[in-house]
Amino acid sequence: MAVVQDVHGHHDHHPSGIMRWVTTTNHKDIGTMYLWFSFAMFLVGGFLAMGIRAELFMPGIQILEPELFNSFTTLHGLIMVFGAIMPAFVGLANWQVPMMIGAPDMAFARMNNWSFWLLPVAGALLISSFFVPGGAAAGGWTFYPPLSAQGGLGVDMMIFAIHILGASSIMGAINIITTILNMRAPGMTLMKMPMFVWTWLITAYLLVLVMPVLAGTVTMLLTDRHFGTSFFNAAGGGDPVLFQHVFWFFGHPEVYIMILPAFGVVSEIIPTFSRKPLFGYSSMVYATASIAILSCVVWAHHMFTAGMPAVGQLFFMYATMLIAVPTGVKVFNWTATMWRGSMTFETPMLFSIGFVFLFVIGGFSGVVCAIVPIDIQVQDTYYVIAHFHYVLVSGALFAIFAAVYYWLPKWAGRMYDEKLGKMHFWLSMIFFNVAFFVQHFLGLAGMPRRIPDYSLQFADFNMISSIGAFGFGLTQLLFLYIVIKCIRSGEKATDKPWEGGSTLEWTLPSPAPYHSFETPPVIK
């Protein structure tokens, strides 16, 4: 890919002070705010997780009363999904998508600012719900009725927060779709776009499809709670299982919304550090699209024990297993990209290989949960928790870490400390597996999820899991230190710090100028 570019078009006139951040329409500033917000929420969600694991360190009720424990599990899930993982990927999209397609900024710059500033409001609602009478929502992050129809003010605050977060997501997604379809540099056809841009285009379509469904679900819940409707109330002719269907029609594509951008990140990093192009680019694009389409027809695999006709169970079982095919294509392509490449193992590459390795474990346990007779045994046990943390922590979160290490030199113009980065990787990798691998055994032995107390035979594995979780949590403070140290005093980064980087952002100076590609680059 030859790039011709007018480098003299950069005039760095940018505002300063607090109003720069409040009123900014610059995609880089907004991306930065998304990333810092998501890290703050990650620390809050991590604090809740530490509370959960501290309570489960030993049998008996130690620290948290059962009601508060239930609020901790509920808010931990909501804050990690809607406050940490999703905003982090939107932040990466804001920073990288315009630079990777040669655009000057996002299509709707003011809407971009608005979609960010909705987030702190929603985050504040969720956190402050702990301090209202009756406490925070306590019905699990999926807030099934009848529990969520009965809670106090905390549940209403959660519903409002979800509405706000959904509005933010829809605006962000529309912005990303418009930017990618209308603002690519001359000569960049769709099939020449970097994989990260492709995965975000497909993710954004998924968001526009399913976020309104979530809005509908929580609105029905709200009218059930306050306006006398009976959508989910059996006494009034409604059906609580209807909630599960509508919720999971959002909720299953949602888990792919959280993993597809991770696939994109890893598809950028592995070719860079293998020093060869991505193996099977077009099959990667089609696999991503297939995953997105299939993700919309598998929602009821979350409901195998809710009472479903056998033909329904069979359909959802087979459809779920079918998703393993395009996912397998991706894993094969990543492996084939590394095969006989001149590989080096800098921190972004370590996190990407860790991602592939552990994500495959999470994928396998997902196939296990897809088999109806097995799922009936492991449903609502710690096996399911082990499964989705392998997908969302060693999946989505590891990919976010990889992306930050990979692009930080371009963002800050400085290099992070490689030794500390590798230490962060190995500590995260070890503690993650100590925390979550044993949960498979707990689940197979029958330990239910979302309980503050448990019988004696589960004590040893729970203690191991809690030690791993505390280790993993503390390790993330090292990550914060690495990033701050890099921004403040890292050594100067070159324009192209990674030898194998081939996408457009590496043609820009480091740190990336406030306004990039005022003259679009021509791709030949």
Side-chain angles (χ1 to χ4, degrees), residues 220-264:
M220 289 154 84
L221 189 62
L222 191 72
T223 59
D224 269 14
R225 285 171 55 82
H226 297 293
F227 301 108
T229 56
S230 295
F231 292 111
F232 310 129
N233 177 8
D239 184 1
V241 178
L242 169 68
F243 176 91
Q244 297 187 28
H245 278 288
V246 186
F247 176 88
W248 284 115
F249 184 78
F250 146 80
H252 196 79
E254 163 66 20
V255 298
Y256 289 93
I257 287 164
M258 289 188 283
I259 204 68
L260 289 180
F263 290 167

Side-chain angles (χ1 to χ4, degrees), residues 367-398:
V367 173
V368 170
C369 292
I371 302 165
V372 175
I374 301 181
D375 185 71
I376 289 168
Q377 298 300 314
V378 299
Q379 192 261 344
D380 254 335
T381 69
Y382 261 77
Y383 190 88
V384 179
I385 292 195
H387 155 67
F388 73 70
H389 282 86
Y390 266 83
V391 178
L392 284 177
V393 181
S394 63
L397 183 66
F398 272 29

Side-chain angles (χ1 to χ4, degrees), residues 189-449:
T189 59
L190 283 175
M191 291 310 273
K192 280 186 188 161
M193 294 196 310
M195 261 325 287
F196 179 72
V197 179
W198 256 117
T199 54
W200 245 116
L201 177 63
I202 291 166
T203 303
Y205 273 111
L206 269 183
L207 275 166
V208 172
L209 176 72
V210 302
M211 272 297 162
V213 178
L214 179 66
T217 322
V218 292
T219 306
M220 289 154 84
L221 189 62
L222 191 72
T223 59
D224 269 14
R225 285 171 55 82
H226 297 293
F227 301 108
T229 56
S230 295
F231 292 111
F232 310 129
N233 177 8
D239 184 1
V241 178
L242 169 68
F243 176 91
Q244 297 187 28
H245 278 288
V246 186
F247 176 88
W248 284 115
F249 184 78
F250 146 80
H252 196 79
E254 163 66 20
V255 298
Y256 289 93
I257 287 164
M258 289 188 283
I259 204 68
L260 289 180
F263 290 167
V265 165
V266 170
S267 302
E268 295 301 328
I269 294 175
I270 288 179
T272 296
F273 294 96
S274 305
R275 289 162 181 76
K276 47 187 281 213
L278 181 68
F279 179 91
Y281 170 89
S282 55
S283 66
M284 232 23 177
V285 172
Y286 292 125
T288 312
S290 313
I291 290 173
I293 293 161
L294 286 170
S295 77
C296 296
V297 294
V298 297
W299 74 89
H301 67 206
H302 297 265
M303 303 166 51
F304 283 151
T305 56
M308 192 189 304
V311 62
Q313 290 183 324
L314 281 171
F315 170 81
F316 285 107
M317 176 165 86
Y318 290 139
T320 304
M321 289 179 168
L322 199 57
I323 284 201
V325 178
T327 314
V329 169
K330 286 183 165 295
V331 174
F332 175 82
N333 286 9
W334 290 323
T335 316
T337 305
M338 291 187 273
W339 179 250
R340 301 189 68 174
S342 319
M343 289 168 73
T344 49
F345 299 98
E346 287 87 350
T347 312
M349 185 62 160
L350 287 176
F351 270 108
S352 298
I353 294 172
F355 165 94
V356 175
F357 179 63
L358 296 178
F359 179 78
V360 167
I361 296 177
F364 276 133
S365 62
V367 173
V368 170
C369 292
I371 302 165
V372 175
I374 301 181
D375 185 71
I376 289 168
Q377 298 300 314
V378 299
Q379 192 261 344
D380 254 335
T381 69
Y382 261 77
Y383 190 88
V384 179
I385 292 195
H387 155 67
F388 73 70
H389 282 86
Y390 266 83
V391 178
L392 284 177
V393 181
S394 63
L397 183 66
F398 272 29
I400 291 165
F401 287 150
V404 170
Y405 284 115
Y406 182 58
W407 283 311
L408 196 56
K410 184 54 67 187
W411 300 341
R414 298 175 182 277
M415 291 303 289
Y416 62 89
D417 185 324
E418 189 64 63
K419 274 206 182 80
L420 288 178
K422 289 192 163 118
M423 196 161 106
H424 173 224
F425 168 73
W426 285 111
L427 287 171
S428 294
M429 186 79 169
I430 291 161
F431 282 129
F432 170 80
N433 283 290
V434 170
F436 291 107
F437 198 76
V438 293
Q439 292 185 3
H440 292 101
F441 308 144
L442 283 170
L444 290 171
M447 178 172 164
R449 63 195 274 194

Side-chain angles (χ1 to χ4, degrees), residues 97-113:
V97 167
M99 294 202 296
M100 291 174 112
I101 63 173
D105 206 303
M106 297 291 276
F108 303 117
R110 290 200 174 121
M111 186 167 86
N112 206 11
N113 173 288

